[in-house]
Amino acid sequence: MSTELPPTTATAAATVTGGPDNQTPTENSRVKLKLEDINWDHSFVRELPGDPLTDITSREVLHACYSRVSPSAEVENPQLVVWSESVADILDLDPKEFERPDFPYLFSGASPLEGGLSYAQCYGGHQFGVWADQLGDGRAITLGELINSKSQRWELQLKGAGKTPYSRFADGLAVLRSSIREFLCSEAMHSLGIPTTRALCLVTTGKLVSRDMFYDGNPKDEPGAIVCRVAQSFLRFGSFQIHAKRGKEDLEIVKTLADYTIKYHFPHIESMNKSDSLSFSTGEGNNDVVDLTSNKYAAWLVEVAERTASLIAKWQGVGFTHGVLNTDNMSVLGLTIDYGPFGFLDAFDPSFTPNTTDLPGRRYCFAEQPDIGSWNIGQFGLALSTAQLINKKELNYALERYGSKFMDEYQAIMTKKVGLSRYNKELIGELLNNMAVDKVDYTNFFRLLSNIKADSDVLDKDLLVPLKAALLDIGRERKEAWTNWVKRYRAELSSSGVSDEDRKVSMNSVNPKYVLRNYLCQSAIDMAEQGDFEEVRRLLKVMEKPFDDQPGMERYARLPPAWAYRPGVCMLSCSS
């Protein structure tokens, strides 16, 4: 049973990600702000324990959720590469602010934002299944929290702005290559309707940064850059794990942080009462009942589990592979966070991983993401359990809800992708198997599938014509397998009673024509590294409307060229 907590998870997720708003005259006429007029409200620093030290020496930070630190990246004539007008709109910023001569200095951290309060967050995490102890914001520095005209709380954070106490042996900086990828994918995912952190802008620092891209002992200098990330919170599973792992003295911090998170980001949980009747049998016996109204922490864990399940189901639907699903890269708000060596599927391969570090075991490959999400929820729940905020029964119930939510969402997504009125496990399973056998392009195939017509007489030899552009180089035996599948598919479509035209419109609204393929990123990166930012900006515009045909932009839907399979394009390391 998967009953939503009030308000529904879908509604809450839309609020968290700042989804597209229905514009009204009132909203269009709301006041646009200068940076100096931002309404700051630094709740994280105000309400949570901080590091008493202020130096940026790499060290263990105990009994604290954050360290006060200022951006310190060196800049020399920083330049604005690209910006998001839709994120500026969320923040009520006047678009003219991007034209300010001092804008690149403010968003490289070289000049402080008036009213801001900067800090780096403390957290730990499991990396590739192994506890890594303290990690923290090693190169991300929050500029502060603001409240917009809709009373939404948003946090601004610079990634690549310099060292913090959590930098370990790193320099706290970021390069243009990885910064372009993070900026573009944040905005592309939002446009695909997937919960995500956002990106306001990207600036170059004018300085070079040394990076060993392939960890092969051959570092090279690359242009430095800084992204301004935006989210209602950057809290992670690891933000809670670190304090639970440190024993008795820090267990109270887990509770304090949980109370803070619920108060500001899950306020509906605070207002639950017995009348909500959120009691559920665990299926382990007649007397085994979990009452979510009697323990807000259990109710919260269930919602985090369901948001995470919904998020990963959406990833699977569009063929997105995160690449580094460590617990420190998991948002408690159910957002896609930390864009490193990500990749969208080209040829459908369930074992695809875009992360070279993940190659030996493929722990984070496309097909494993749902199970890894469950494992990570288990670790997050264990942190709450260690702090005695939930019991084992409540943790097990949250994991159960994760599983049921994922399957419900995934089946609904795949049903819409193939244009059926109800889920057909056998038909969809056989389709995915055929796609894997023939290495069919994931995005292009589903877009073409809407061209199959159910209400017309077609000869067997012509059944695959609408899919010809996706079914490349297949022999007679495979053509027969695909023809048989299309016959069964058309029969299923015929029974739905939906017209071909209506079904095509519906399918094209969930099957994007454009996704941020790695080779598209690389083309924009190559030009940007030569000082030409136009391709980055053009690519952003295309990815802002992924479901539209966009005549004249068809080249952005092409299959990867041969050069795209070279190291550093189709697969990347975590080095950035």
Side-chain angles (χ1 to χ4, degrees):
M1 182 175 182
S2 182
T3 303
E4 302 290 352
L5 302 175
T8 65
T9 299
T11 302
T15 301
V16 165
T17 58
D21 302 310
N22 293 320
Q23 294 295 313
T24 66
T26 302
E27 289 173 332
N28 281 330
S29 61
R30 69 180 189 265
V31 176
K32 295 297 184 180
L33 304 176
K34 293 183 179 295
L35 291 168
E36 289 80 6
D37 299 325
I38 287 175
N39 179 25
W40 296 104
D41 183 66
H42 308 297
S43 66
F44 197 87
V45 171
R46 182 176 66 241
E47 301 197 16
L48 295 169
D51 179 3
L53 304 179
T54 56
D55 67 279
I56 60 172
T57 305
S58 293
R59 53 190 164 81
E60 187 176 35
V61 177
L62 299 173
H63 322 312
C65 295
Y66 65 88
S67 299
R68 289 292 312 279
V69 60
S70 298
S72 59
E74 291 185 17
V75 305
E76 184 177 327
N77 189 28
Q79 290 182 275
L80 179 60
V81 175
V82 65
W83 60 94
S84 170
E85 292 187 3
S86 67
V87 175
D89 189 58
I90 291 171
L91 306 178
D92 301 321
L93 279 184
D94 189 329
K96 292 181 180 177
E97 291 296 277
F98 292 114
E99 301 170 11
R100 292 171 53 149
D102 62 345
F103 190 92
Y105 290 89
L106 291 165
F107 284 90
S108 63
S111 299
L113 275 174
E114 185 178 320
L117 194 157
S118 57
Y119 65 89
Q121 198 186 129
C122 178
Y123 51 82
H126 282 86
Q127 298 195 323
F128 294 92
V130 178
W131 177 247
D133 206 38
Q134 178 179 293
L135 298 167
D137 285 332
R139 57 176 175 162
I141 297 175
T142 291
L143 296 178
E145 301 167 60
L146 61 82
I147 307 293
N148 70 5
S149 59
K150 297 180 181 178
S151 300
Q152 296 172 327
R153 179 176 301 276
W154 292 94
E155 182 178 331
L156 305 186
Q157 185 184 84
L158 298 184
K159 185 172 182 179
K163 284 188 176 183
T164 77
Y166 312 102
S167 297
R168 292 173 288 174
F169 300 107
D171 56 17
L173 306 176
V175 297
L176 184 59
R177 163 176 51 87
S178 64
S179 300
I180 286 174
R181 287 172 53 81
E182 171 126 19
F183 179 94
L184 289 175
C185 204
S186 299
E187 295 307 284
M189 292 288 272
H190 171 72
S191 297
L192 287 167
I194 298 175
T196 177
T197 58
R198 304 292 303 277
L200 174 65
C201 61
L202 163 60
V203 300
T204 58
T205 62
K207 292 289 189 177
L208 294 176
V209 176
S210 179
R211 284 291 178 269
D212 185 353
M213 185 175 178
F214 301 110
Y215 298 132
D216 61 359
N218 294 298
K220 72 169 188 173
D221 288 341
E222 301 184 47
I226 295 173
V227 176
C228 180
R229 307 197 294 186
V230 178
Q232 292 206 305
S233 173
F234 287 93
L235 280 167
R236 305 135 186 281
F237 292 3
S239 304
F240 299 83
Q241 287 181 284
I242 186 66
H243 304 297
K245 289 282 189 180
R246 284 175 168 171
K248 290 184 179 180
E249 196 171 348
D250 277 25
L251 293 184
E252 188 62 28
I253 297 180
V254 179
K255 181 179 184 298
T256 301
L257 188 56
D259 287 339
Y260 166 85
T261 307
I262 292 169
K263 174 183 176 181
Y264 284 102
H265 303 292
F266 299 80
H268 53 282
I269 290 178
E270 290 273 28
S271 60
M272 282 194 315
N273 56 54
K274 293 290 183 181
S275 65
D276 291 319
S277 299
L278 293 171
S279 298
F280 305 95
S281 170
T282 63
E284 297 175 0
N286 293 332
N287 297 320
D288 280 322
V289 173
V290 172
D291 179 8
L292 297 182
T293 60
S294 67
N295 183 358
K296 70 176 183 181
Y297 304 110
W300 175 50
L301 174 61
V302 167
E303 183 161 342
V304 173
E306 290 202 338
R307 287 193 188 191
T308 303
S310 177
L311 174 69
I312 296 179
K314 289 180 171 67
W315 289 353
Q316 303 304 106
V318 298
F320 175 79
T321 309
H322 183 281
V324 203
L325 281 182
N326 299 328
T327 58
D328 56 295
N329 295 337
M330 299 291 292
S331 160
V332 296
L333 300 187
L335 308 176
T336 315
I337 190 171
D338 292 336
Y339 292 94
F342 65 82
F344 285 86
L345 291 173
D346 293 316
F348 181 60
D349 176 6
S351 67
F352 168 70
T353 178
N355 185 354
T356 55
T357 311
D358 191 37
L359 274 177
R362 296 183 186 266
R363 175 182 174 85
Y364 296 144
C365 73
F366 177 74
E368 292 297 322
Q369 290 184 135
D371 285 345
I372 291 297
S374 179
W375 191 89
N376 288 344
I377 286 289
Q379 298 305 314
F380 174 55
L382 189 59
L384 302 185
S385 176
T386 301
Q388 299 185 328
L389 301 182
I390 63 168
N391 59 38
K392 183 179 179 181
K393 186 166 59 177
E394 290 164 335
L395 172 53
N396 288 339
Y397 179 65
L399 290 169
E400 179 185 319
R401 286 280 286 266
Y402 172 93
S404 59
K405 181 69 171 180
F406 175 81
M407 289 309 301
D408 289 347
E409 292 263 339
Y410 179 71
Q411 290 177 7
I413 288 167
M414 296 308 294
T415 299
K416 290 176 183 176
K417 285 182 74 69
V418 297
L420 299 180
S421 56
R422 63 183 184 275
Y423 182 66
N424 185 320
K425 181 179 179 180
E426 183 180 354
L427 191 69
I428 292 173
E430 186 178 346
L431 169 61
L432 294 175
N433 182 67
N434 282 339
M435 291 176 69
V437 169
D438 294 310
K439 296 180 170 51
V440 175
D441 186 82
Y442 190 84
T443 301
N444 290 357
F445 176 85
F446 281 108
R447 188 73 176 190
L448 289 169
L449 189 61
S450 66
N451 295 325
I452 296 286
K453 298 186 184 301
D455 57 1
S456 61
D457 294 325
V458 181
L459 298 175
D460 282 7
K461 69 181 182 64
D462 297 324
L463 281 174
L464 301 184
V465 171
L467 305 175
K468 185 178 179 181
L471 301 182
L472 306 170
D473 302 322
I474 59 173
R476 186 167 66 180
E477 182 180 327
R478 295 305 304 153
K479 281 184 180 177
E480 185 177 327
W482 277 104
T483 299
N484 289 335
W485 183 85
V486 171
K487 285 180 180 178
R488 289 195 294 277
Y489 176 57
R490 292 181 76 228
E492 191 78 8
L493 294 180
S494 297
S495 68
S496 70
V498 178
S499 71
D500 289 333
E501 293 74 18
D502 288 347
R503 184 177 60 258
K504 182 178 176 67
V505 170
S506 175
M507 290 175 68
N508 284 354
S509 72
V510 296
N511 291 319
K513 180 173 180 176
Y514 304 98
V515 294
L516 190 67
R517 299 175 189 264
N518 275 341
Y519 86 89
L520 296 175
C521 275
Q522 191 59 47
S523 294
I525 290 165
D526 289 344
M527 292 180 67
E529 288 182 337
Q530 301 303 313
D532 182 351
F533 306 140
E534 283 309 306
E535 185 63 13
V536 177
R537 296 167 185 171
R538 192 178 301 115
L539 193 49
L540 171 64
K541 293 301 180 188
V542 173
M543 294 303 151
E544 284 177 336
K545 297 180 178 179
F547 301 103
D548 294 357
D549 278 328
Q550 301 190 59
M553 294 296 159
E554 290 83 3
R555 66 186 183 278
Y556 291 99
R558 290 176 185 162
L559 297 177
W563 63 262
Y565 295 95
R566 73 174 192 247
V569 180
C570 63
M571 294 190 70
L572 302 101
S573 71
C574 296
S575 174
S576 56

